[in-house]
Amino acid sequence: MACKTFFSFHYTEDVWRALNVRNCWVVNDDQESVGFFDGSVFEASKKESDDALKTFLRNGLKNTSVTCVLSGQYTASRRWVRYEIVRSVLKGNGLLTVDIHGVRNNAKELGVKGTDPLVEVGVYLSNGKIYFAEVKDGKWVKYSDYASAIPASDLWFEPPASNAVVKLSKHCMRYDFAAQNGRENIAGWIETAAALAGRR
């Protein structure tokens, strides 16, 4: 049975590209995606409160085993994409990045390749406890939207051994949808991410 997958992306900038990628992947009944929220629902949740949106996103991740980050030009710096990545790690989901700048948007325009979002989120050890970190203004800082320590047993990858930040990208694969024939290969990429996290 195929993985139930959460797709994380920058809604305003990349929803058209993301839908095209998702539609290539969902080709039969046992491939189910989560995370394609109706735009009005997403915007309404943002207006309520940060806590309401966090709950909304956590609920979106329920019953998924892989999170596929669809990366465009600005995705890496998006607060709620980072939150989805962090919650995915806490949940034990497999993670992968798929660059989608080579997919045309509704205006038939190609995008610009952005930074891998998994390069800008990491984990580090401090006083014997593991925490998330993120890049802000070019520097690593403690991740602000989830400040609690992470039990090492919750990580499917090797825990950090020092206060040097280990980027999540060290443990995850990155692909280019256009250049690597994502139309044919994305299902395999998602299965690989699931296997790396022990979710198969």
Side-chain angles (χ1 to χ4, degrees):
M1 190 167 115
C3 307
K4 194 179 265 192
T5 303
F6 183 95
F7 287 91
S8 176
F9 56 95
H10 177 4
Y11 192 91
T12 306
E13 183 75 15
D14 292 319
V15 65
W16 188 270
R17 294 184 176 101
L19 282 168
N20 281 326
V21 171
R22 179 246 190 198
N23 289 341
C24 290
W25 179 68
V26 182
V27 293
N28 57 53
D29 292 339
D30 69 348
Q31 290 181 322
E32 186 175 347
S33 69
V34 186
F36 276 81
F37 308 115
D38 175 83
S40 62
V41 174
F42 188 77
E43 292 303 318
S45 296
K46 279 166 55 177
K47 288 174 186 171
E48 286 180 37
S49 69
D50 284 357
D51 285 341
L53 184 50
K54 287 177 180 179
T55 299
F56 177 74
L57 296 175
R58 285 197 304 273
N59 286 339
L61 280 160
K62 282 182 179 175
N63 303 315
T64 65
S65 55
V66 173
T67 297
C68 179
V69 183
L70 300 176
S71 180
Q73 184 174 2
Y74 305 110
T75 312
S77 63
R78 302 301 295 176
R79 177 183 179 186
W80 299 115
V81 169
R82 289 185 177 185
Y83 186 74
E84 290 163 350
I85 290 168
V86 164
R87 295 305 312 195
S88 296
V89 172
L90 292 168
K91 192 177 172 304
N93 275 19
L95 272 169
L96 71 155
T97 298
V98 177
D99 290 305
I100 58 171
H101 62 286
V103 179
R104 296 185 186 277
N105 64 11
N106 57 332
K108 310 286 188 204
E109 299 165 333
L110 294 173
V112 175
K113 187 173 183 175
T115 302
D116 182 351
L118 301 181
V119 166
E120 301 215 334
V121 180
V123 290
Y124 68 99
L125 191 66
S126 177
N127 297 320
K129 294 183 177 179
I130 302 167
Y131 297 95
F132 286 107
E134 63 180 328
V135 173
K136 282 206 171 171
D137 299 321
K139 296 180 181 177
W140 285 106
V141 297
K142 187 175 183 180
Y143 180 66
S144 56
D145 279 314
Y146 188 90
S148 301
I150 316 157
S153 58
D154 282 3
L155 300 177
W156 55 262
F157 49 83
E158 185 179 343
S162 73
N163 62 359
V165 175
V166 178
K167 301 170 185 176
L168 295 183
S169 58
K170 177 182 177 184
H171 305 288
C172 306
M173 301 294 290
R174 181 184 190 182
Y175 305 93
D176 185 311
F177 189 83
Q180 294 178 270
N181 192 12
R183 186 174 293 276
E184 297 294 327
N185 294 322
I186 191 168
W189 299 342
I190 288 169
E191 290 292 325
T192 296
L196 287 171
R199 299 301 299 268
R200 296 310 295 149

